Amino acid sequence: MKKRSSGTKNEAKKKPNGDRSRKGERSKCCGADDKSNRRRNSIRQKNKGKPKHSRKTKEDSRSAEEAKEKEKEKEKKKEKDADKKKEKDKDKDKDKEKKKSRRKKNGISRMHPPSPSPANEPPKPPPLQPQEKLRFDNDKKLAMGLKFTVKDMEVTVLKLLGSGGFGDVYLVEDQKQSRYAMKTEYDRVGSASRMKMEVKAYDKINKAKKANAGCGSRLLSFFGSGAVENLKFFLMSLVGPSVEDLIVKYEICYGTALRLSIECFDGIVDLHNCGFVHRDIKPENYSIGLNEERRKVYLVDLGMVVRVIDDKEKGPLTSKYDFIGTQLYAPRTSHLGNVQTRRDDLESWLYSCVDIFAPNKLPWSREHDRHKILELKEEFFRNPPKDALSQMPSQFEDILKKIDSIGIHEKPDYKALHELLEQAAKDEEIDFDEPFEWEMGEAKKNGFGGDKKKPEDEPDCENTQMSVLMQQPNNDAAAKAIAL
């Protein structure tokens, strides 16, 4: 057999030659690569430090144009602003020159302005002192001379004016010697406190007065409130004696009784327009003004007020109290334990008018049983008592019917009621500028229409009234009693 070793030898011989040729080719390639690398490196060294150029698209060119336009607009705005500043500076320079010329004419030096004359300077109030601790006398009343700070004002207690079941009232004086009444309430919290609602009411009334000059003209002004330890207090305007005290002490004429009735009615209208129902209308809660206001009657004591309810769906029908008010003047609603509305204030006003014209002529004036009094008041509207109404203007019969026809939440027709009162005054030729009997200064025992006396055992209402001494009209030193 032939051996294949020769074939393998030939193949072996050929292989080394083939490998050599490939190595040669590789070496040639490596040399070409080195040349290209050298070229690249030389180009890179030449281009060092030169900016690289990128290919710009159409969008890039547009954005560059927009940026240039924006820069131009900014430059234009800067130029406009600079022009405006120059104009303002010119105006300022002109104003300065005008001022300088005026100073030269008037002989005023800028470095040495004229010193104000001490005679023309208003006196500066002394600085407010820190609030003192409460001090009491032997009767557990505030000590005289005690100082209270209210807002930017400091007042000094001068004397006690009156006391009641819900607090005390003091005469106080500020740093300018202006006098006020300061009502206090001690150690009462939550529902036992009446001052919180009273302060809210006076605050709202003050805002209404500022917004409208003619609003609340027969309601007292409010000068701020505060608290020291367990004592709450607020300041209100000073007024004269109560209508109740005056009709008891003085014999009043028919015209005075009608004038008082109209003034009391206007006070209720003012309070209702400010958004409140009084709930304790009676002669004791009306006070005469002082000095220029001595022929004006003010409605006072707002400790029992509630907000006016226009819609029955917005408020409850029944009250949380069994009875609110004074039995002699309280409306039928109060006897029934229902919530009082504007109609009920007018009903109490009507009872007060009867008591002013015809003292002690209300059919229930000697009755103490509350249920019996309710029956008599209902009978009063069904069959008005002739002995009482005969001493009053005939228009009060129509007024009685109008008040009885008002709905629970209905707004009363104040204009129609006031027209009837004006007609009564016109029929009697009433002069509203005529002095009242107490301005004459002569007191008499008997009141108009009979002897005005209160039953000794007449029950008080939930709010015991306080008599507050106030100064007499045209007499700063005198003092008088007023029910607040």
Side-chain angles (χ1 to χ4, degrees), residues 390-405:
S390 62
Q391 299 183 47
M392 304 172 71
S394 59
Q395 286 81 3
F396 272 89
E397 293 183 8
D398 295 331
I399 290 171
L400 185 148
K401 292 176 183 177
K402 284 185 177 294
I403 291 174
D404 191 38
S405 63

Side-chain angles (χ1 to χ4, degrees), residues 129-135 145-149 228-229:
Q129 299 296 326
Q131 180 61 56
E132 297 182 35
K133 291 184 178 180
L134 294 181
R135 292 182 283 110
L146 192 63
K147 296 183 185 297
F148 289 86
T149 302
V228 182
E229 298 173 16

Side-chain angles (χ1 to χ4, degrees), residues 167-335:
D168 304 317
V169 177
Y170 296 86
L171 178 66
V172 297
E173 188 177 70
D174 68 3
Q175 297 158 305
K176 298 178 182 178
Q177 296 183 342
S178 299
R179 293 188 171 187
Y180 309 88
M182 185 176 79
K183 195 169 184 178
T184 64
E185 187 181 73
Y186 188 73
D187 206 17
R188 287 183 176 271
V189 184
S191 60
S193 174
R194 288 175 49 198
M195 187 167 288
K196 184 178 180 181
M197 192 61 195
E198 192 166 8
V199 167
K200 283 184 178 180
Y202 274 121
D203 189 45
K204 187 174 180 180
I205 290 165
N206 257 24
K207 290 177 182 177
K209 285 182 177 182
K210 290 178 182 177
N212 186 358
C215 181
S217 61
R218 285 169 177 79
L219 302 173
L220 299 181
S221 295
F222 174 72
F223 299 97
S225 62
V228 182
E229 298 173 16
N230 293 334
L231 182 79
K232 299 174 186 175
F233 63 91
F234 71 89
L235 299 184
M236 55 188 173
S237 50
L238 202 61
V239 287
S242 71
V243 170
E244 174 69 17
D245 291 335
L246 293 171
I247 62 178
V248 169
K249 186 173 182 180
Y250 295 90
E251 182 181 356
I252 63 173
C253 67
Y254 191 87
T256 297
L258 183 54
R259 286 169 66 186
L260 290 175
S261 300
I262 295 172
E263 287 286 324
C264 292
F265 175 83
D266 290 341
I268 293 173
V269 176
D270 280 350
L271 185 65
H272 290 182
N273 288 338
C274 289
F276 295 98
V277 176
H278 193 277
R279 298 199 300 178
D280 195 24
I281 295 294
K282 57 183 177 182
E284 291 179 58
N285 284 338
Y286 286 97
S287 297
I288 297 294
L290 297 174
N291 303 323
E292 293 82 5
E293 307 294 333
R294 62 187 178 276
R295 285 163 201 162
K296 185 183 284 188
V297 176
Y298 290 88
L299 177 59
V300 299
D301 196 357
L302 307 185
M304 294 172 62
V305 298
V306 290
R307 296 190 182 276
V308 169
I309 301 173
D310 293 314
D311 189 355
K312 63 182 180 180
E313 295 180 357
K314 293 181 180 179
L317 293 175
T318 58
S319 174
K320 61 181 180 180
Y321 301 105
D322 292 335
F323 180 85
I324 292 178
T326 306
Q327 285 192 7
L328 185 62
Y329 308 101
R332 294 163 291 175
T333 301
S334 183
H335 290 273

Side-chain angles (χ1 to χ4, degrees), residues 12-30:
K13 287 177 181 179
K14 289 179 182 178
K15 282 179 183 179
N17 292 332
D19 291 338
R20 287 172 189 171
S21 63
R22 285 176 190 167
K23 285 179 181 178
E25 287 176 4
R26 282 179 186 170
S27 61
K28 288 179 183 179
C29 291
C30 289

Side-chain angles (χ1 to χ4, degrees), residues 115-123:
S115 58
S117 59
N120 297 331
E121 278 188 352

